[in-house]
Amino acid sequence: FDQLSLLWRDILSLASIDTKSRIPTQNTMRVLALLATFVAAANAFGVGSLSSFTGTSITLEPTYVVCGAPAGRSDLSMMRHRNKLKKLNKPADQRKALLRALTTEVIRHGRIKTTLVRAKAVRKHVDHMIELGKRGDLHARRQALGWVYDKDLVHSLFEAAPERYSDRNGGYTRVLRTMPRQGDNAKMAVIELV
């Protein structure tokens, strides 16, 4: 506290401000506001003590931690809290309807062409439907009927899945990247059953 009061007295004497008068002038208030800004800036930049502030420029080197970034990439790696699923720029009901429709079409046709993000999002649901088909019990059938739009498709899935995927424990789909879409250059992909 003594260093601070000495510093203020030195600054006020340099600015030729009368410390004896009780009523501050407008110039005095301006100088005090300017000095308070300097002191706050010095504290914000981590200067050790106020007496060590000499008015020279302070250069702080920013330190960034890049966690596992490949060579050639300089973006920061951040944690993905609350980013479990891709929202696909849609509200929850439209997103669910889109994923249900894409799941139904992948199971029906065996391969569809869609955007890369949608293909990666629907992969989880197609794999889950095939797992239900391999399980084959009544509860699994009712869960699949609750997700897939076509009832006959669910029955054919439950007939074909156990023997087709008996030797495979997951990874029933593959996503292959294709050329970008002509109109908007969106990344496209083909998702297909293995």
Side-chain angles (χ1 to χ4, degrees), residues 21-140:
S21 66
R22 298 285 179 169
I23 302 171
T25 63
Q26 190 173 5
N27 289 337
T28 305
M29 295 307 293
R30 285 182 184 164
V31 170
L32 287 177
L34 183 65
L35 292 177
T37 306
F38 286 148
V39 171
N43 286 335
F45 281 111
V47 177
S49 66
L50 292 174
S51 61
S52 65
F53 183 69
T54 59
T56 59
S57 63
I58 300 172
T59 57
L60 295 176
E61 294 295 325
T63 57
Y64 299 110
V65 178
V66 178
C67 300
R73 287 182 52 190
S74 63
D75 56 346
L76 297 177
S77 176
M78 300 182 71
M79 294 187 181
R80 298 184 67 248
H81 294 303
R82 302 182 72 176
N83 288 329
K84 188 172 184 178
L85 57 95
K86 292 288 186 183
K87 295 197 175 180
L88 304 175
N89 285 331
K90 298 197 177 307
D93 57 342
Q94 294 177 18
R95 182 170 58 243
K96 183 179 177 183
L98 174 70
L99 292 173
R100 287 179 69 185
L102 287 174
T103 303
T104 304
E105 295 308 312
V106 169
I107 294 172
R108 176 179 288 130
H109 298 291
R111 134 186 287 204
I112 62 168
K113 183 178 180 181
T114 182
T115 63
L116 180 65
V117 177
R118 287 180 182 181
K120 286 182 177 181
V122 78
R123 177 174 50 186
K124 165 185 162 185
H125 298 286
V126 174
D127 285 352
H128 182 58
M129 291 302 117
I130 293 174
E131 284 288 340
L132 293 176
K134 281 177 65 176
R135 223 169 68 198
D137 57 350
L138 180 62
H139 181 55

